[in-house]
Amino acid sequence: MVRMGHDSPRAALKSQYATAQADRAIAGALGAAVRALEKSGDGTTPGERKGDDGDDGAAGVLAKVS
């Protein structure tokens, strides 16, 4: 227990339990996000247009220089 940074086995168990709860919450949120994307059917996130690459203009387009 000392190697884990805890003073007692009870403290280590409390930390382990809290970590497991956080892991479940993160997994649940990621699962919900994936289900929402799957439900949209086109792979876009809410508010995103199909084919929108996030480019707001002609940045990166080659321009002829004389």
Short mmCIF file of all heavy atoms in Angstrom, two decimals:
data_model
loop_
_atom_site.label_atom_id
_atom_site.label_comp_id
_atom_site.label_asym_id
_atom_site.label_seq_id
_atom_site.Cartn_x
_atom_site.Cartn_y
_atom_site.Cartn_z
N MET A 1 0.81 -1.19 0.00
CA MET A 1 0.00 0.00 0.00
C MET A 1 0.86 1.26 0.00
O MET A 1 0.47 2.26 -0.58
CB MET A 1 -0.93 0.02 1.22
CG MET A 1 -1.86 -1.14 1.33
SD MET A 1 -2.97 -1.21 -0.06
CE MET A 1 -3.43 -2.90 -0.03
N VAL A 2 1.99 1.19 0.65
CA VAL A 2 2.86 2.36 0.72
C VAL A 2 3.36 2.74 -0.67
O VAL A 2 3.45 3.92 -1.00
CB VAL A 2 4.04 2.09 1.68
CG1 VAL A 2 5.01 3.26 1.67
CG2 VAL A 2 3.52 1.85 3.09
N ARG A 3 3.64 1.78 -1.50
CA ARG A 3 4.11 2.06 -2.86
C ARG A 3 3.06 2.82 -3.67
O ARG A 3 3.38 3.57 -4.56
CB ARG A 3 4.47 0.77 -3.58
CG ARG A 3 5.73 0.15 -3.07
CD ARG A 3 6.12 -1.02 -3.91
NE ARG A 3 7.18 -1.75 -3.26
CZ ARG A 3 7.56 -2.94 -3.60
NH1 ARG A 3 6.96 -3.57 -4.58
NH2 ARG A 3 8.53 -3.54 -2.97
N MET A 4 1.81 2.59 -3.38
CA MET A 4 0.74 3.28 -4.08
C MET A 4 0.52 4.68 -3.54
O MET A 4 -0.26 5.45 -4.08
CB MET A 4 -0.58 2.48 -3.96
CG MET A 4 -0.54 1.17 -4.70
SD MET A 4 -1.97 0.09 -4.45
CE MET A 4 -3.34 1.15 -4.34
N GLY A 5 1.21 5.02 -2.43
CA GLY A 5 1.07 6.35 -1.86
C GLY A 5 0.00 6.45 -0.79
O GLY A 5 -0.36 7.54 -0.38
N HIS A 6 -0.50 5.30 -0.31
CA HIS A 6 -1.54 5.30 0.71
C HIS A 6 -0.95 4.86 2.04
O HIS A 6 -0.04 4.04 2.09
CB HIS A 6 -2.69 4.38 0.32
CG HIS A 6 -3.30 4.74 -1.00
ND1 HIS A 6 -4.00 5.90 -1.20
CD2 HIS A 6 -3.31 4.10 -2.19
CE1 HIS A 6 -4.41 5.97 -2.44
NE2 HIS A 6 -4.00 4.89 -3.07
N ASP A 7 -1.51 5.42 3.09
CA ASP A 7 -1.02 5.09 4.43
C ASP A 7 -1.64 3.81 4.99
O ASP A 7 -1.10 3.22 5.91
CB ASP A 7 -1.31 6.24 5.40
CG ASP A 7 -0.49 7.48 5.06
OD1 ASP A 7 0.59 7.33 4.49
OD2 ASP A 7 -0.97 8.59 5.38
N SER A 8 -2.78 3.42 4.45
CA SER A 8 -3.46 2.25 4.99
C SER A 8 -4.18 1.50 3.87
O SER A 8 -4.48 2.08 2.82
CB SER A 8 -4.49 2.68 6.04
OG SER A 8 -5.56 3.35 5.42
N PRO A 9 -4.47 0.24 4.12
CA PRO A 9 -5.24 -0.52 3.14
C PRO A 9 -6.62 0.09 2.89
O PRO A 9 -7.12 0.07 1.78
CB PRO A 9 -5.36 -1.91 3.77
CG PRO A 9 -4.23 -2.01 4.71
CD PRO A 9 -4.00 -0.61 5.20
N ARG A 10 -7.22 0.66 3.92
CA ARG A 10 -8.54 1.28 3.77
C ARG A 10 -8.47 2.47 2.81
O ARG A 10 -9.34 2.63 1.93
CB ARG A 10 -9.06 1.74 5.13
CG ARG A 10 -10.46 2.28 5.06
CD ARG A 10 -11.03 2.49 6.48
NE ARG A 10 -12.44 2.78 6.41
CZ ARG A 10 -12.95 4.00 6.57
NH1 ARG A 10 -12.18 5.02 6.84
NH2 ARG A 10 -14.25 4.19 6.48
N ALA A 11 -7.43 3.27 2.94
CA ALA A 11 -7.27 4.42 2.04
C ALA A 11 -7.07 3.95 0.60
O ALA A 11 -7.60 4.54 -0.34
CB ALA A 11 -6.09 5.28 2.48
N ALA A 12 -6.32 2.87 0.42
CA ALA A 12 -6.08 2.33 -0.92
C ALA A 12 -7.39 1.84 -1.54
O ALA A 12 -7.66 2.07 -2.72
CB ALA A 12 -5.06 1.20 -0.86
N LEU A 13 -8.21 1.17 -0.75
CA LEU A 13 -9.49 0.66 -1.26
C LEU A 13 -10.43 1.80 -1.63
O LEU A 13 -11.14 1.74 -2.63
CB LEU A 13 -10.15 -0.25 -0.22
CG LEU A 13 -9.48 -1.62 -0.06
CD1 LEU A 13 -10.12 -2.39 1.09
CD2 LEU A 13 -9.57 -2.41 -1.34
N LYS A 14 -10.45 2.87 -0.82
CA LYS A 14 -11.31 4.02 -1.13
C LYS A 14 -10.87 4.65 -2.45
O LYS A 14 -11.69 5.02 -3.29
CB LYS A 14 -11.25 5.04 -0.01
CG LYS A 14 -12.02 4.63 1.23
CD LYS A 14 -11.85 5.61 2.35
CE LYS A 14 -12.71 6.83 2.13
NZ LYS A 14 -12.72 7.73 3.31
N SER A 15 -9.56 4.75 -2.65
CA SER A 15 -9.04 5.33 -3.88
C SER A 15 -9.39 4.46 -5.08
O SER A 15 -9.78 4.96 -6.14
CB SER A 15 -7.53 5.51 -3.77
OG SER A 15 -7.00 5.99 -4.98
N GLN A 16 -9.24 3.15 -4.91
CA GLN A 16 -9.57 2.21 -5.98
C GLN A 16 -11.05 2.32 -6.36
O GLN A 16 -11.40 2.32 -7.53
CB GLN A 16 -9.30 0.78 -5.51
CG GLN A 16 -8.19 0.10 -6.22
CD GLN A 16 -8.02 -1.32 -5.73
OE1 GLN A 16 -8.47 -1.72 -4.66
NE2 GLN A 16 -7.36 -2.11 -6.53
N TYR A 17 -11.91 2.44 -5.37
CA TYR A 17 -13.35 2.53 -5.61
C TYR A 17 -13.68 3.81 -6.36
O TYR A 17 -14.44 3.80 -7.33
CB TYR A 17 -14.11 2.47 -4.28
CG TYR A 17 -15.60 2.57 -4.44
CD1 TYR A 17 -16.33 1.48 -4.93
CD2 TYR A 17 -16.29 3.72 -4.12
CE1 TYR A 17 -17.69 1.55 -5.09
CE2 TYR A 17 -17.66 3.80 -4.27
CZ TYR A 17 -18.36 2.71 -4.76
OH TYR A 17 -19.71 2.80 -4.92
N ALA A 18 -13.08 4.92 -5.95
CA ALA A 18 -13.33 6.21 -6.61
C ALA A 18 -12.85 6.16 -8.05
O ALA A 18 -13.50 6.69 -8.96
CB ALA A 18 -12.64 7.33 -5.85
N THR A 19 -11.71 5.53 -8.29
CA THR A 19 -11.18 5.42 -9.64
C THR A 19 -12.10 4.57 -10.51
O THR A 19 -12.37 4.91 -11.66
CB THR A 19 -9.76 4.81 -9.62
OG1 THR A 19 -8.92 5.65 -8.82
CG2 THR A 19 -9.17 4.69 -11.00
N ALA A 20 -12.60 3.48 -9.96
CA ALA A 20 -13.52 2.61 -10.70
C ALA A 20 -14.80 3.36 -11.06
O ALA A 20 -15.32 3.22 -12.17
CB ALA A 20 -13.85 1.36 -9.89
N GLN A 21 -15.31 4.19 -10.13
CA GLN A 21 -16.51 4.98 -10.42
C GLN A 21 -16.23 5.97 -11.56
O GLN A 21 -17.05 6.14 -12.46
CB GLN A 21 -16.95 5.75 -9.19
CG GLN A 21 -17.67 4.91 -8.17
CD GLN A 21 -18.13 5.76 -7.00
OE1 GLN A 21 -17.37 6.56 -6.47
NE2 GLN A 21 -19.37 5.57 -6.60
N ALA A 22 -15.08 6.63 -11.51
CA ALA A 22 -14.73 7.60 -12.55
C ALA A 22 -14.59 6.89 -13.90
O ALA A 22 -15.04 7.40 -14.93
CB ALA A 22 -13.44 8.33 -12.20
N ASP A 23 -13.98 5.71 -13.90
CA ASP A 23 -13.82 4.94 -15.13
C ASP A 23 -15.19 4.59 -15.74
O ASP A 23 -15.38 4.69 -16.95
CB ASP A 23 -13.04 3.66 -14.89
CG ASP A 23 -11.56 3.90 -14.63
OD1 ASP A 23 -11.07 5.01 -14.91
OD2 ASP A 23 -10.90 2.96 -14.14
N ARG A 24 -16.13 4.20 -14.89
CA ARG A 24 -17.48 3.88 -15.37
C ARG A 24 -18.17 5.12 -15.95
O ARG A 24 -18.85 5.04 -16.97
CB ARG A 24 -18.32 3.26 -14.26
CG ARG A 24 -18.03 1.78 -14.03
CD ARG A 24 -19.08 1.13 -13.14
NE ARG A 24 -19.07 1.66 -11.78
CZ ARG A 24 -18.25 1.23 -10.82
NH1 ARG A 24 -17.40 0.26 -11.06
NH2 ARG A 24 -18.30 1.76 -9.62
N ALA A 25 -17.99 6.25 -15.29
CA ALA A 25 -18.62 7.49 -15.78
C ALA A 25 -18.05 7.89 -17.14
O ALA A 25 -18.79 8.28 -18.06
CB ALA A 25 -18.42 8.62 -14.78
N ILE A 26 -16.73 7.78 -17.29
CA ILE A 26 -16.09 8.12 -18.57
C ILE A 26 -16.56 7.16 -19.66
O ILE A 26 -16.91 7.58 -20.77
CB ILE A 26 -14.55 8.09 -18.43
CG1 ILE A 26 -14.11 9.24 -17.52
CG2 ILE A 26 -13.87 8.16 -19.79
CD1 ILE A 26 -12.66 9.14 -17.08
N ALA A 27 -16.58 5.88 -19.36
CA ALA A 27 -17.02 4.89 -20.34
C ALA A 27 -18.47 5.13 -20.75
O ALA A 27 -18.82 5.02 -21.93
CB ALA A 27 -16.85 3.47 -19.78
N GLY A 28 -19.31 5.48 -19.79
CA GLY A 28 -20.70 5.76 -20.11
C GLY A 28 -20.86 6.96 -21.02
O GLY A 28 -21.65 6.94 -21.97
N ALA A 29 -20.09 8.01 -20.75
CA ALA A 29 -20.17 9.22 -21.58
C ALA A 29 -19.65 8.94 -23.00
O ALA A 29 -20.24 9.40 -23.98
CB ALA A 29 -19.37 10.35 -20.95
N LEU A 30 -18.57 8.19 -23.10
CA LEU A 30 -18.05 7.84 -24.43
C LEU A 30 -19.03 6.96 -25.19
O LEU A 30 -19.24 7.15 -26.39
CB LEU A 30 -16.70 7.14 -24.31
CG LEU A 30 -15.52 8.02 -23.93
CD1 LEU A 30 -14.28 7.17 -23.67
CD2 LEU A 30 -15.24 9.03 -25.02
N GLY A 31 -19.64 6.03 -24.49
CA GLY A 31 -20.63 5.17 -25.13
C GLY A 31 -21.82 5.96 -25.65
O GLY A 31 -22.30 5.72 -26.75
N ALA A 32 -22.27 6.93 -24.86
CA ALA A 32 -23.40 7.77 -25.29
C ALA A 32 -23.02 8.59 -26.52
O ALA A 32 -23.82 8.75 -27.44
CB ALA A 32 -23.83 8.69 -24.15
N ALA A 33 -21.78 9.10 -26.54
CA ALA A 33 -21.33 9.89 -27.69
C ALA A 33 -21.28 9.03 -28.95
O ALA A 33 -21.69 9.45 -30.03
CB ALA A 33 -19.97 10.50 -27.41
N VAL A 34 -20.79 7.80 -28.82
CA VAL A 34 -20.72 6.90 -29.97
C VAL A 34 -22.12 6.55 -30.46
O VAL A 34 -22.39 6.56 -31.66
CB VAL A 34 -19.93 5.62 -29.62
CG1 VAL A 34 -20.07 4.55 -30.69
CG2 VAL A 34 -18.46 5.95 -29.40
N ARG A 35 -23.03 6.26 -29.53
CA ARG A 35 -24.41 5.95 -29.93
C ARG A 35 -25.05 7.13 -30.65
O ARG A 35 -25.78 6.94 -31.63
CB ARG A 35 -25.24 5.53 -28.72
CG ARG A 35 -24.94 4.12 -28.24
CD ARG A 35 -25.91 3.65 -27.19
NE ARG A 35 -25.83 4.42 -25.96
CZ ARG A 35 -24.92 4.22 -24.99
NH1 ARG A 35 -24.03 3.26 -25.12
NH2 ARG A 35 -24.92 4.97 -23.91
N ALA A 36 -24.77 8.35 -30.20
CA ALA A 36 -25.33 9.53 -30.86
C ALA A 36 -24.79 9.66 -32.28
O ALA A 36 -25.53 10.00 -33.20
CB ALA A 36 -25.01 10.79 -30.05
N LEU A 37 -23.51 9.38 -32.47
CA LEU A 37 -22.93 9.43 -33.81
C LEU A 37 -23.50 8.34 -34.70
O LEU A 37 -23.79 8.56 -35.88
CB LEU A 37 -21.41 9.30 -33.76
CG LEU A 37 -20.66 10.53 -33.26
CD1 LEU A 37 -19.18 10.21 -33.09
CD2 LEU A 37 -20.84 11.69 -34.19
N GLU A 38 -23.67 7.15 -34.14
CA GLU A 38 -24.25 6.06 -34.92
C GLU A 38 -25.69 6.37 -35.30
O GLU A 38 -26.13 6.04 -36.40
CB GLU A 38 -24.20 4.76 -34.11
CG GLU A 38 -22.81 4.20 -33.98
CD GLU A 38 -22.74 2.99 -33.06
OE1 GLU A 38 -23.67 2.78 -32.27
OE2 GLU A 38 -21.74 2.28 -33.14
N LYS A 39 -26.41 7.04 -34.42
CA LYS A 39 -27.81 7.37 -34.68
C LYS A 39 -27.93 8.40 -35.81
O LYS A 39 -28.88 8.38 -36.57
CB LYS A 39 -28.45 7.93 -33.41
CG LYS A 39 -29.96 7.80 -33.39
CD LYS A 39 -30.53 8.29 -32.09
CE LYS A 39 -30.59 7.15 -31.10
NZ LYS A 39 -31.37 7.48 -29.91
N SER A 40 -26.91 9.29 -35.93
CA SER A 40 -26.98 10.31 -36.99
C SER A 40 -26.87 9.64 -38.36
O SER A 40 -27.36 10.18 -39.35
CB SER A 40 -25.89 11.36 -36.81
OG SER A 40 -24.61 10.83 -37.11
N GLY A 41 -26.23 8.48 -38.44
CA GLY A 41 -26.19 7.71 -39.67
C GLY A 41 -25.18 8.17 -40.71
O GLY A 41 -24.81 7.42 -41.59
N ASP A 42 -24.73 9.42 -40.63
CA ASP A 42 -23.80 9.89 -41.65
C ASP A 42 -22.39 10.16 -41.11
O ASP A 42 -21.54 10.65 -41.83
CB ASP A 42 -24.36 11.13 -42.36
CG ASP A 42 -24.55 12.30 -41.42
OD1 ASP A 42 -24.21 12.18 -40.23
OD2 ASP A 42 -25.03 13.35 -41.88
N GLY A 43 -22.18 9.88 -39.84
CA GLY A 43 -20.84 10.04 -39.27
C GLY A 43 -20.50 11.46 -38.86
O GLY A 43 -19.39 11.72 -38.44
N THR A 44 -21.45 12.38 -38.99
CA THR A 44 -21.16 13.75 -38.60
C THR A 44 -21.57 13.96 -37.14
O THR A 44 -22.43 13.27 -36.62
CB THR A 44 -21.92 14.77 -39.47
OG1 THR A 44 -23.32 14.55 -39.33
CG2 THR A 44 -21.53 14.66 -40.93
N THR A 45 -20.95 14.92 -36.51
CA THR A 45 -21.33 15.27 -35.16
C THR A 45 -22.48 16.27 -35.23
O THR A 45 -22.67 16.92 -36.26
CB THR A 45 -20.15 15.89 -34.40
OG1 THR A 45 -19.67 17.03 -35.12
CG2 THR A 45 -19.03 14.90 -34.22
N PRO A 46 -23.25 16.40 -34.16
CA PRO A 46 -24.37 17.34 -34.20
C PRO A 46 -23.89 18.75 -34.56
O PRO A 46 -22.89 19.23 -34.04
CB PRO A 46 -24.91 17.30 -32.77
CG PRO A 46 -24.51 15.96 -32.27
CD PRO A 46 -23.19 15.67 -32.92
N GLY A 47 -24.56 19.39 -35.50
CA GLY A 47 -24.19 20.73 -35.93
C GLY A 47 -23.19 20.77 -37.07
O GLY A 47 -22.91 21.82 -37.63
N GLU A 48 -22.64 19.63 -37.41
CA GLU A 48 -21.65 19.56 -38.50
C GLU A 48 -22.37 19.19 -39.79
O GLU A 48 -23.26 18.35 -39.80
CB GLU A 48 -20.60 18.49 -38.16
CG GLU A 48 -19.53 18.34 -39.20
CD GLU A 48 -18.56 17.22 -38.85
OE1 GLU A 48 -18.85 16.41 -37.95
OE2 GLU A 48 -17.51 17.14 -39.49
N ARG A 49 -21.99 19.83 -40.86
CA ARG A 49 -22.58 19.51 -42.16
C ARG A 49 -21.77 18.41 -42.83
O ARG A 49 -20.55 18.35 -42.70
CB ARG A 49 -22.59 20.75 -43.06
CG ARG A 49 -23.50 21.84 -42.57
CD ARG A 49 -23.52 22.99 -43.56
NE ARG A 49 -22.19 23.45 -43.89
CZ ARG A 49 -21.61 24.53 -43.37
NH1 ARG A 49 -22.24 25.26 -42.49
NH2 ARG A 49 -20.39 24.89 -43.73
N LYS A 50 -22.44 17.55 -43.56
CA LYS A 50 -21.76 16.50 -44.30
C LYS A 50 -20.82 17.14 -45.32
O LYS A 50 -21.19 18.05 -46.04
CB LYS A 50 -22.80 15.63 -45.03
CG LYS A 50 -22.21 14.43 -45.72
CD LYS A 50 -21.85 13.38 -44.73
CE LYS A 50 -21.44 12.12 -45.48
NZ LYS A 50 -20.74 11.20 -44.66
N GLY A 51 -19.58 16.70 -45.34
CA GLY A 51 -18.59 17.22 -46.28
C GLY A 51 -17.89 18.48 -45.78
O GLY A 51 -17.02 19.02 -46.44
N ASP A 52 -18.26 18.96 -44.60
CA ASP A 52 -17.63 20.16 -44.03
C ASP A 52 -16.32 19.75 -43.40
O ASP A 52 -16.29 19.01 -42.43
CB ASP A 52 -18.56 20.78 -43.00
CG ASP A 52 -18.01 22.09 -42.43
OD1 ASP A 52 -17.00 22.58 -42.97
OD2 ASP A 52 -18.59 22.61 -41.47
N ASP A 53 -15.21 20.25 -43.96
CA ASP A 53 -13.90 19.91 -43.41
C ASP A 53 -13.42 20.96 -42.41
O ASP A 53 -12.29 20.90 -41.95
CB ASP A 53 -12.88 19.72 -44.52
CG ASP A 53 -12.65 20.99 -45.33
OD1 ASP A 53 -13.29 22.01 -45.04
OD2 ASP A 53 -11.81 20.95 -46.25
N GLY A 54 -14.27 21.92 -42.09
CA GLY A 54 -13.91 22.93 -41.12
C GLY A 54 -13.15 24.09 -41.73
O GLY A 54 -12.78 25.04 -41.05
N ASP A 55 -12.89 24.04 -43.03
CA ASP A 55 -12.17 25.11 -43.71
C ASP A 55 -13.15 26.23 -44.03
O ASP A 55 -14.14 26.03 -44.71
CB ASP A 55 -11.55 24.57 -45.01
CG ASP A 55 -10.66 25.57 -45.69
OD1 ASP A 55 -10.35 26.62 -45.09
OD2 ASP A 55 -10.27 25.34 -46.85
N ASP A 56 -12.87 27.41 -43.53
CA ASP A 56 -13.79 28.52 -43.71
C ASP A 56 -13.43 29.43 -44.87
O ASP A 56 -13.82 30.58 -44.92
CB ASP A 56 -13.87 29.35 -42.43
CG ASP A 56 -14.52 28.58 -41.31
OD1 ASP A 56 -15.37 27.74 -41.60
OD2 ASP A 56 -14.19 28.83 -40.15
N GLY A 57 -12.68 28.96 -45.81
CA GLY A 57 -12.33 29.83 -46.92
C GLY A 57 -11.33 29.17 -47.84
O GLY A 57 -11.22 27.96 -47.92
N ALA A 58 -10.59 30.02 -48.52
CA ALA A 58 -9.66 29.54 -49.52
C ALA A 58 -8.25 29.38 -48.98
O ALA A 58 -7.28 29.34 -49.73
CB ALA A 58 -9.65 30.51 -50.70
N ALA A 59 -8.10 29.29 -47.69
CA ALA A 59 -6.77 29.11 -47.10
C ALA A 59 -6.18 27.80 -47.62
O ALA A 59 -6.83 26.77 -47.68
CB ALA A 59 -6.87 29.07 -45.59
N GLY A 60 -4.96 27.86 -48.04
CA GLY A 60 -4.28 26.67 -48.56
C GLY A 60 -4.42 26.47 -50.04
O GLY A 60 -3.81 25.58 -50.62
N VAL A 61 -5.19 27.30 -50.69
CA VAL A 61 -5.35 27.21 -52.14
C VAL A 61 -4.19 27.94 -52.79
O VAL A 61 -3.82 29.04 -52.40
CB VAL A 61 -6.70 27.83 -52.59
CG1 VAL A 61 -6.82 27.83 -54.10
CG2 VAL A 61 -7.86 27.10 -51.95
N LEU A 62 -3.60 27.30 -53.79
CA LEU A 62 -2.48 27.93 -54.47
C LEU A 62 -2.96 29.12 -55.30
O LEU A 62 -3.99 29.05 -55.96
CB LEU A 62 -1.78 26.92 -55.39
CG LEU A 62 -1.13 25.73 -54.68
CD1 LEU A 62 -0.55 24.78 -55.72
CD2 LEU A 62 -0.04 26.20 -53.74
N ALA A 63 -2.24 30.19 -55.22
CA ALA A 63 -2.59 31.38 -55.97
C ALA A 63 -1.48 31.67 -56.98
O ALA A 63 -0.29 31.49 -56.68
CB ALA A 63 -2.74 32.57 -55.04
N LYS A 64 -1.87 32.09 -58.17
CA LYS A 64 -0.89 32.41 -59.21
C LYS A 64 -0.18 33.71 -58.86
O LYS A 64 -0.80 34.70 -58.54
CB LYS A 64 -1.60 32.55 -60.57
CG LYS A 64 -0.65 32.75 -61.71
CD LYS A 64 -1.40 32.73 -63.02
CE LYS A 64 -0.40 32.91 -64.15
NZ LYS A 64 -1.06 32.88 -65.44
N VAL A 65 1.13 33.65 -58.89
CA VAL A 65 1.94 34.82 -58.60
C VAL A 65 2.67 35.19 -59.88
O VAL A 65 3.31 34.37 -60.51
CB VAL A 65 2.97 34.52 -57.47
CG1 VAL A 65 3.84 35.74 -57.21
CG2 VAL A 65 2.26 34.06 -56.22
N SER A 66 2.57 36.47 -60.29
CA SER A 66 3.21 36.85 -61.54
C SER A 66 4.58 37.43 -61.33
O SER A 66 5.04 37.74 -60.33
CB SER A 66 2.34 37.86 -62.31
OG SER A 66 1.93 38.92 -61.47
#
